[in-house]
Amino acid sequence: MCGKWFCSGSGGNGHALEHHKQLGYPLAVKLGTITPDGADVYSFDEEEAVLDPHLAKHLAHFGIDMLQMHGTENGVMDNEVKPRVSEWEIIQETGLKLKPMFGSGYTGIRNQGNSSYLSTVMQVIFSIPEFQRAYVGNLTRIFDYAPLDPTHDFSTQMAKLGHGLLSGLYSKPPVKCELIEQVMTEEHKLQPKGITTRMFKAFISRWHTEFSSNRQQDAQEFFLHLIGLAERNSIGSENPTDVFRFLVEERTQCCQSRKVRYTERVDYIMQLPVAMEAAINKDDLIAYELKRREAESSKRPPPEIVRARIPFSACLQAFTEPENVDDFWSSALQAKSAGVMTSRFASFPEYLVIQIKKFTFGLDWVPKKLDVAVEMPDVLDVNHLRAKGLQPGEEELPNIAPPIVIPDDPKDRFRNHFMEAPDIDESSVMQLAEMGFPLEACRKAVYYTGSMGAELAFNWIIAHMEDPDFAEPLNIPGCAAASAQPSYELQAQINLPPEEIVALITSMGFQRKHAIQALRATNNNLERALDWIFSHPECEDEADNTSQSVDDENNPQSNGILTDNEPEGPRVKDGNGRYELLAFISHIGTSTMSGHYVCHIKKEGRWVIYNDHKVSASERPPKDLGYLYFYHRIAC
């Protein structure tokens, strides 16, 4: 246990690093890798593997003859062969001779300091043809119509990153003559390859407290954050996130009346619980736990890791099981009752994203990660999870809202019969509003999630973006603040964008009404408003035919916005439920706030590992240790 620490803080005592700091010896050679052809040499200064042109001479100083050495498959000596069991080694395929890959689609991304969560998600995103076509295929048009400051334009930054990953210009094999020259001059050092994402990360994490920091983040949360940005910036153009969107049918049943209610919601990820009770190696787990405790008490090195092996079918079964509904109010009984809810697919997306819920809380409410291996299938069939709607013999729950509970407090006897305005966390509201969402939608999201933070409110926004009343003001029956409507003059002051921005747009030749409409739709962002105007010429034609005044624009009945016919519902790409594994993202570490991410993507019939700037052909893709899995629909 004297090796180096892993990113999670585990894996050793760091004695080698201390030795380097004290004595200054720069290189470490892994003994089990020494062969007549070379060895694995690690540089403490570069913090990566290097080539030593005088390796034979250096080893001879210690009495080691390279010509007599034979390496082993696992990188250790023959008399101490140990299988790779640590998560770090398996996921990164340590010890295997991975062949580097070059060219289009095989460009790495340099780590900017705990940015692997962003790199892995973007590598998978730009392996999907719809995203390639939307941003890289339209590169010329996006650049031609880019705003004055392209650093704050989503489409420009996506196109720039996609071009860097797919062009092949930044992923070229080293020239042989250059390598020979570097070795002869004793200056050979592995140069970092790939592209940087500083500008993209700065834009994508703008106004987001966590993603703008240098801490490691949850790849699943970043994926949803990216989906939300793409949704808002795809107005009037192709929306590539349609390939992930699907409808979930939730069936809620009152246990007493047996009546049911069917509702639908939008989602982008299928979250699978880990069924620990279904582990197929329970005896090995019990024996390992006993050995670990004995080693801990006697201060000996811990035994080899034994992780729980969970069948995928058990996780899928846990997903389909009914779950209790907390604080369920039955409209049939007009009272609180016990309720259960089951979820099914109302539509199947083109790409199904599955999250294995490895991160949970212990008995002491400390976050922890389940070290499990889930046997994920290469071909997945979930057609049996298709929603069937109201079945014969089922009776629906009445569509009655629960009553408003007015607190019986003597101090309130002099107040009117209306409830007070709801207590809403304004800091969460402003954090969401700064991300570009309508202010009223942010207030509703925070209210309906119980002011439990911006993260839960963001998930509510993603699930309700297609609602017809998404941007309508929060209206709570019985609430005094909601029942008291402001005057037209006050509402006009609230709804009107800043006059200086309106004047700037009208000075470009656009009509005032069209300028106000564009600014409202883009949260008063000048560059986005100009893009919105160019992508909505039909609204300008309608504005030419109207003679309403500014006061009429702010009439609550019309809300001052000219819209087309109400959409029938969210856009989904439904089809059959048979999928093939395309990619998976794995997490190394004990927490989403630390560790490292690596992704494997299947390209041209073979698996490729993307580990920051290193892109190689995978030898043993660890499909059972993934965190996020991306499946592509199989055409019938």
Side-chain angles (χ1 to χ4, degrees):
M1 299 301 292
C2 290
K4 65 179 181 179
W5 292 290
F6 297 146
C7 289
S8 61
S10 63
N13 296 314
H15 292 162
L17 183 60
E18 293 178 7
H19 184 264
H20 163 68
K21 291 179 179 179
Q22 293 175 2
L23 302 179
Y25 297 138
L27 303 180
V29 181
K30 194 171 184 180
L31 289 177
T33 65
I34 302 176
T35 66
D37 298 325
D40 288 350
V41 183
Y42 179 83
S43 170
F44 290 101
D45 293 331
E46 284 85 359
E47 296 185 354
E48 62 181 351
V50 296
L51 293 180
D52 182 0
H54 302 288
L55 181 62
K57 176 182 176 181
H58 293 161
L59 292 178
H61 172 76
F62 298 97
I64 299 176
D65 185 359
M66 285 182 58
L67 298 180
Q68 303 300 322
M69 299 299 293
H70 299 279
T72 62
E73 179 186 3
N74 297 304
V76 293
M77 302 304 292
D78 291 332
N79 61 351
E80 53 175 357
V81 174
K82 295 172 62 178
R84 292 189 306 276
V85 294
S86 74
E87 192 180 49
W88 180 271
E89 294 176 317
I90 297 176
I91 291 179
Q92 294 194 119
E93 304 188 46
T94 304
L96 300 178
K97 294 184 177 180
L98 303 180
K99 178 183 177 182
M101 305 288 291
F102 302 97
S104 175
Y106 301 105
T107 304
I109 300 177
R110 301 179 201 171
N111 197 316
Q112 304 300 317
N114 289 330
S115 62
S116 58
Y117 68 94
L118 180 148
S119 302
T120 52
V121 170
M122 299 314 300
Q123 290 283 11
V124 176
I125 285 294
F126 278 108
S127 68
I128 296 175
E130 284 77 5
F131 282 86
Q132 296 175 358
R133 182 172 61 251
Y135 297 108
V136 183
N138 293 324
L139 183 73
T140 303
R141 183 186 64 82
I142 292 175
F143 284 178
D144 288 344
Y145 290 94
L148 299 177
D149 186 2
T151 61
H152 294 161
D153 181 63
F154 178 81
S155 298
T156 302
Q157 294 304 314
M158 286 288 287
K160 175 186 172 184
L161 177 60
H163 176 263
L165 294 176
L166 301 177
S167 65
L169 298 176
Y170 309 98
S171 178
K172 296 180 179 180
V175 182
K176 187 174 182 180
C177 62
E178 294 179 354
L179 289 178
I180 295 176
E181 182 181 356
Q182 290 175 351
V183 172
M184 294 298 293
T185 57
E186 302 183 12
E187 294 179 354
H188 181 72
K189 182 177 67 173
L190 291 178
Q191 298 295 331
K193 300 177 291 292
I195 61 176
T196 58
T197 57
R198 289 190 182 92
M199 188 177 296
F200 179 81
K201 185 177 185 296
F203 168 78
I204 209 76
S205 59
R206 191 181 180 191
W207 299 310
H208 195 288
T209 306
E210 286 299 324
F211 295 142
S212 59
S213 68
N214 287 327
R215 294 185 294 270
Q216 189 66 274
Q217 303 298 327
D218 188 353
Q220 180 257 359
E221 294 180 1
F222 177 76
F223 172 76
L224 290 179
H225 176 64
L226 180 70
I227 291 295
L229 290 175
E231 288 273 6
R232 297 197 304 275
N233 289 274
S234 297
I235 300 176
S237 59
E238 178 186 6
N239 186 357
T241 62
D242 290 348
V243 299
F244 296 123
R245 189 185 304 108
F246 61 93
L247 294 177
V248 178
E249 179 192 84
E250 294 181 340
R251 176 185 182 272
T252 308
Q253 183 175 32
C254 174
C255 295
Q256 291 183 253
S257 66
R258 312 303 296 177
K259 295 182 179 180
V260 297
R261 174 181 294 116
Y262 286 87
T263 57
E264 287 186 352
R265 62 176 174 85
V266 176
D267 210 335
Y268 296 89
I269 292 182
M270 179 185 185
Q271 296 181 316
L272 285 186
V274 177
M276 293 295 296
E277 66 280 358
I280 61 178
N281 58 340
K282 294 181 179 179
D283 294 339
D284 296 337
L285 291 173
I286 295 175
Y288 165 73
E289 185 63 22
L290 292 176
K291 292 180 181 179
R292 188 190 64 80
R293 292 181 180 179
E294 291 177 0
E296 185 177 344
S297 59
S298 60
K299 296 183 179 181
R300 290 186 287 111
E304 294 181 359
I305 298 174
V306 177
R307 55 179 52 88
R309 305 201 64 84
I310 312 296
F312 174 76
S313 57
C315 298
L316 202 60
Q317 179 65 29
F319 171 81
T320 61
E321 291 295 328
E323 57 179 308
N324 295 327
V325 180
D326 297 331
D327 203 25
F328 175 70
W329 186 84
S330 172
S331 59
L333 303 176
Q334 294 288 300
K336 287 188 177 182
S337 173
V340 293
M341 183 180 66
T342 55
S343 300
R344 294 293 186 271
F345 286 91
S347 68
F348 290 120
E350 186 72 20
Y351 288 84
L352 178 61
V353 184
I354 297 179
Q355 177 195 15
I356 303 299
K357 300 175 68 175
K358 293 185 175 183
F359 298 99
T360 181
F361 291 93
L363 297 177
D364 52 358
W365 289 101
V366 175
K368 68 175 184 177
K369 176 183 174 183
L370 301 176
D371 189 8
V372 297
V374 180
E375 301 171 353
M376 299 296 292
D378 289 321
V379 177
L380 174 64
D381 191 341
V382 290
N383 278 301
H384 63 285
L385 297 181
R386 167 78 72 170
K388 299 179 180 179
L390 189 67
Q391 297 297 299
E394 290 183 337
E395 186 177 354
E396 288 190 274
L397 285 165
N399 189 16
I400 303 175
I404 301 297
V405 178
I406 302 178
D408 186 14
D409 191 340
K411 295 183 295 183
D412 296 336
R413 60 184 182 271
F414 297 112
R415 299 183 183 180
N416 57 29
H417 296 289
F418 293 108
M419 293 178 59
E420 291 185 348
D423 185 14
I424 298 178
D425 183 8
E426 293 297 336
S427 62
S428 298
V429 173
M430 295 310 299
Q431 184 176 347
L432 293 171
E434 289 175 350
M435 296 168 61
F437 296 112
L439 180 62
E440 291 299 335
C442 299
R443 291 181 60 81
K444 288 198 292 187
V446 174
Y447 170 75
Y448 286 122
T449 54
S451 294
M452 298 296 290
E455 180 180 346
L456 290 177
F458 175 78
N459 294 335
W460 186 94
I461 287 178
I462 293 298
H464 293 80
M465 289 184 66
E466 303 293 341
D467 293 352
D469 59 345
F470 176 69
E472 296 294 326
L474 175 63
N475 186 12
I476 306 173
C479 178
S483 60
Q485 296 293 336
S487 63
Y488 290 168
E489 293 79 5
L490 179 59
Q491 193 162 351
Q493 296 176 6
I494 296 175
N495 290 340
L496 276 179
E499 186 60 33
E500 58 273 16
I501 304 181
V502 177
L504 185 59
I505 296 180
T506 54
S507 66
M508 300 179 185
F510 300 106
Q511 294 209 4
R512 177 179 174 82
K513 184 178 182 65
H514 200 201
I516 294 176
Q517 186 177 348
L519 288 170
R520 285 175 178 164
T522 58
N523 196 28
N524 297 333
N525 185 293
L526 177 60
E527 288 80 10
R528 290 174 55 197
L530 292 175
D531 291 341
W532 191 94
I533 290 176
F534 285 115
S535 61
H536 293 75
E538 70 281 356
C539 295
E540 187 173 13
D541 296 337
E542 294 179 14
D544 292 338
N545 298 328
T546 181
S547 58
Q548 291 180 337
S549 63
V550 174
D551 292 336
D552 294 332
E553 295 171 12
N554 295 279
N555 190 311
Q557 297 178 352
S558 64
N559 208 25
I561 299 178
L562 300 175
T563 59
D564 299 327
N565 295 331
E566 290 295 333
E568 296 180 358
R571 299 180 304 275
V572 294
K573 295 188 175 183
D574 198 5
N576 74 87
R578 294 189 71 245
Y579 295 91
E580 181 180 7
L581 184 60
L582 168 72
F584 61 94
I585 297 175
S586 308
H587 176 265
I588 307 170
T590 58
S591 169
T592 56
M593 302 303 293
S594 63
H596 183 61
Y597 283 98
V598 175
C599 74
H600 289 72
I601 306 176
K602 194 172 186 180
K603 291 188 175 182
E604 300 177 348
R606 60 187 173 189
W607 284 99
V608 180
I609 176 174
Y610 293 80
N611 188 1
D612 289 336
H613 64 275
K614 294 176 288 187
V615 181
S616 311
S618 175
E619 294 291 334
R620 298 178 186 173
K623 302 175 186 177
D624 55 345
L625 296 182
Y627 175 51
L628 292 178
Y629 293 85
F630 294 77
Y631 282 86
H632 181 223
R633 189 188 348 256
I634 300 176
C636 292

